[in-house]
Amino acid sequence: MTQAYSTQMEAAKHGIITPQMATVAADEGIDPEIIRERVAAGSIAIPANHTHTALHAAGVGEGLRTKVNVNLGISGDVHDYSCEMEKVHTALKFGAEAIMDLSNYGKTHDFRMELIGMSPAMIGTVPMYDAVGYLEKDLAQITAQDFLDVVRAHAEEGVDFVTIHAGMNRKAIDSFKRSGRMMNIVSRGGSLIYAWMEMTGNENPFFEHYDELLDILYEHDVTISLGDAMRPGCVADATDASQVSELIELGLLTQRAWERNVQVMIEGPGHMTLDQIAANMQIEKRLCHNAPFYVLGPLVTDIAPGYDHITSAIGGAIAAANGADFLCYVTPAEHLRLPSVSDVKEGVIAVKIAAHAADLAKGIPGARDWDDRMSRARQKIDWDAMFEEAIDREKAEEYVASAQPSDPHTCTMCGKMCAVRNMNKTMAGEGVNIL
């Protein structure tokens, strides 16, 4: 990037197409000038910290393929960094464009530096999670400046985006207290800030010192992902006063960030019934000025522990088809435990399917090419070609190998009654022999 401009947005506003914009344009098959215009307007974000040299830049936002994020990181009960790195490799193998290190125990610096050093995917964090371990202070003893110092440390290390729950101010808390929510606040970072505010009597430090926060992010071109502390944690709480009042504030904070040339993404729900998803996407785009929307799920029902990668993928497909730009995966372990490597695999595959299904619905250029290649392989009953196009090749191969048909041009579901086999024969003028 030209040295005079510190961020992707600043360069874009001055008519500069950065190498990262050119990469996004090439990957998406879109004119680089269109990418530049949308970065300047804020409808596309390209999270790309100056010091993340392993990064393969990806764009999030208007007209682009739906991107997916994988959460991982150690906890106080399970802190095996080698296992977390195995999860990283699994996420990258199955095409995650972003990885968030949500480690919340001990000194997380070394793992984060290793992750930034090797990952072509963008890296995100929630600095609030790291504050207690980084500062070695109890929550009530942490100062507003301490919180900003942790953000600065993450920015200097090279993270590309940070989730900051800046919209949960005193006004939003007042709405929350009067709303009578079933699940209260389920955002981990949001709950910690709420507790800090209640214990100290102070305003949200990230809201009160927002300009200083933006200065830190601008210096390193760290994208701010404005977190939804008030996201609904059950379908009963969806689209309530707490959620909407915070979203209004996030829209105002978005404009302030753009004025300082800091890129923005907006985080969204949460748990939500199917009929509310499309409207929520439209509300976010309207209130937050078409900023990229990053959603967790939404999970469309609360009854499926052990299968929440499915409840999330259903909601994610609908959300992305109606305007969401970035989907955060959910694993089968959601609400139950820290996910294993196999949980990560199941979660990332489910969300990649949801994202691709949405891209088909939105008519993203080139999205259907993948499906067409698979369809041509199926029409020819070309197993090797089908395996090549499968989102999880190993699983597809295992299924076929586990039950061999008498005719290798079929599977054990239909055998010689296979419609594809018989149509191929008939169309070629051959007879069809079932017996």
Side-chain angles (χ1 to χ4, degrees), residues 15-211:
I16 303 297
I17 295 173
T18 66
Q20 292 82 3
M21 294 178 207
T23 296
V24 171
D27 288 349
E28 302 279 351
I30 295 176
D31 186 330
E33 178 60 19
I34 293 175
I35 300 296
R36 185 202 64 77
E37 290 175 355
R38 292 175 183 174
V39 171
S43 64
I44 287 178
I46 304 177
N49 190 304
H50 299 156
T51 59
H52 186 182
T53 57
L55 177 70
H56 182 92
V60 180
E62 182 184 358
L64 306 182
R65 290 181 295 105
T66 306
K67 305 306 187 300
V68 305
N69 172 70
V70 166
N71 291 340
L72 43 80
I74 66 163
S75 70
D77 291 315
V78 182
H79 38 273
D80 181 348
Y81 280 119
S82 63
C83 181
E84 295 311 300
M85 191 54 67
E86 189 177 351
K87 295 176 188 178
V88 170
H89 289 295
T90 298
L92 295 175
K93 175 181 178 180
F94 289 102
E97 289 90 4
I99 295 172
M100 290 197 77
D101 173 23
L102 304 187
S103 297
N104 60 76
Y105 172 81
K107 299 297 185 182
T108 62
H109 168 270
D110 290 349
F111 174 70
R112 194 159 47 251
M113 292 303 294
E114 183 180 357
L115 182 58
I116 293 165
M118 60 74 64
S119 175
M122 63 184 105
I123 302 301
T125 60
V126 185
M128 184 72 197
Y129 295 177
D130 196 31
V132 173
Y134 179 85
L135 298 165
E136 296 183 336
K137 292 182 179 180
D138 284 335
L139 184 61
Q141 304 306 312
I142 297 175
T143 67
Q145 189 59 51
D146 286 335
F147 286 128
L148 293 173
D149 287 344
V150 178
V151 175
R152 182 177 289 106
H154 283 216
E156 290 174 349
E157 289 168 358
V159 303
D160 303 296
F161 65 99
V162 288
T163 293
I164 303 290
H165 299 93
M168 188 180 64
N169 54 19
R170 286 290 174 190
K171 181 179 178 181
I173 283 179
D174 181 62
S175 293
F176 161 71
K177 287 181 175 178
R178 289 187 291 152
S179 67
R181 270 189 159 191
M182 184 177 295
M183 282 291 294
N184 295 319
I185 295 173
V186 300
S187 159
R188 187 194 307 170
S191 69
L192 292 172
I193 292 175
Y194 178 84
W196 184 87
M197 293 170 68
E198 291 293 285
M199 287 188 291
T200 65
N202 295 331
E203 178 59 278
N204 180 340
F206 297 118
F207 179 79
E208 184 176 7
H209 302 281
Y210 192 62
D211 288 338

Side-chain angles (χ1 to χ4, degrees), residues 37 42 82 111 114 136 138 175 200 212 225 227 242 257 280 302 312 322 334 339 363 383-384 407 409:
E37 290 175 355
S82 63
F111 174 70
E114 183 180 357
E136 296 183 336
D138 284 335
S175 293
T200 65
E212 185 177 348
S225 185
S242 298
N280 267 263
D302 299 329
S312 170
N322 284 279
E334 185 78 2
W383 292 109
D384 288 337
D407 183 340
H409 296 292

